[in-house]
Amino acid sequence: MTCSIESLISARSSVIRYQQDRPVDTQIIQQLAELATRAPSAFNMQNWRLLAVQSPDSKRKLHHAAYQQPQILQAPATFIICGTLNAHRTLADTLQPSITSGLMPEQIAESWVDAASGLYEGKSQAQRDEAIRSASMAAMTLVLAAEGMGLNTGAVGGFDAAAVQDAFDLNEDILPVVLVTVGYAAEHNWKQKPRKVLDDVFTLL
């Protein structure tokens, strides 16, 4: 059964209790990762890195780094969505397929590389901000893709980023931004909680 994107957004909620006897096939996990990389990023830098935690040993490591939250152990898989720093330094290589396919003129690609270098080189805060933006968009793209497949998800912001880096041997250019649990909801999860009225958060100019 398919649902409209409006229905998915209006109905989805963050799941904290999962059916532990219903695995998610590795092929689906890989498909979700591929769909997440369709998210937008500045200059098409694709400045993200995704890790899918499935094995018992990896779950234990992440569970410890995520303050022992039980859904990390219950969910069939948890994605660690990371942003990457210094992605502008490899932008020329990243854009090469767009040039080769004829989608982007080489001169435009060169101008993007120059602009990105000016914006990010030696500017750690700008790189961090961009990494968080890109990883967040990839995470939400993954959430909607999973929900569209009939899976359930939960966003987890409570974790020790340094502990995650250490547990999974991530170098200092890989910044863990958010965890996304994926699986099938068990009973006794909350439905989507009420949102603020639109006038409190939206201005039409």
Side-chain angles (χ1 to χ4, degrees):
M1 184 177 68
T2 60
C3 298
S4 69
I5 190 69
E6 293 88 352
S7 297
L8 288 174
I9 293 170
S10 297
R12 64 144 299 279
S13 62
S14 288
V15 168
I16 59 172
R17 296 178 179 87
Y18 287 92
Q19 299 178 43
Q20 297 182 58
D21 58 350
R22 289 190 70 183
V24 176
D25 189 82
T26 299
Q27 186 176 358
I28 294 176
I29 296 298
Q30 292 173 336
Q31 185 180 4
L32 289 173
E34 197 279 332
L35 289 170
T37 66
R38 303 291 174 152
S41 59
F43 300 106
N44 196 34
M45 284 193 298
Q46 303 170 60
N47 49 328
W48 43 54
R49 176 79 184 275
L50 285 67
L51 294 83
V53 171
Q54 281 189 297
S55 72
D57 183 56
S58 293
K59 283 185 178 184
R60 283 191 293 271
K61 290 179 181 179
L62 186 58
H63 180 245
H64 178 74
Y67 309 122
Q68 292 80 46
Q69 294 182 76
Q71 65 267 42
I72 304 299
L73 294 179
Q74 292 178 8
T78 299
F79 283 89
I80 307 172
I81 313 293
C82 305
T84 57
L85 308 177
N86 290 308
H88 62 285
R89 295 179 181 175
T90 56
L91 181 57
D93 290 337
T94 303
L95 294 178
Q96 188 57 50
S98 294
I99 299 170
T100 302
S101 67
L103 181 65
M104 175 180 287
E106 187 170 0
Q107 298 89 334
I108 297 296
E110 290 173 352
S111 71
W112 283 22
V113 171
D114 289 342
S117 180
L119 285 170
Y120 305 119
E121 184 60 37
K123 299 173 183 176
S124 59
Q125 187 62 54
Q127 288 186 39
R128 181 180 174 85
D129 291 347
E130 204 62 71
I132 292 172
R133 275 191 287 269
S134 295
S136 297
M137 286 197 241
M140 196 65 215
T141 300
L142 188 149
V143 164
L144 294 177
E147 298 281 342
M149 293 179 185
L151 295 161
N152 302 106
T153 61
V156 180
F159 62 92
D160 183 331
V164 170
Q165 285 178 312
D166 183 61
F168 297 98
D169 297 320
L170 304 179
N171 67 45
E172 61 185 8
D173 280 347
I174 300 177
L175 175 68
V177 173
V178 64
L179 311 179
V180 177
T181 53
V182 176
Y184 297 95
E187 294 182 351
H188 307 302
N189 281 286
W190 286 338
K191 293 184 178 180
Q192 188 180 102
K193 294 177 282 297
R195 283 353 192 210
K196 294 180 179 180
V197 297
L198 193 59
D199 285 347
D200 287 349
V201 298
F202 172 71
T203 303
L204 181 62
L205 301 174

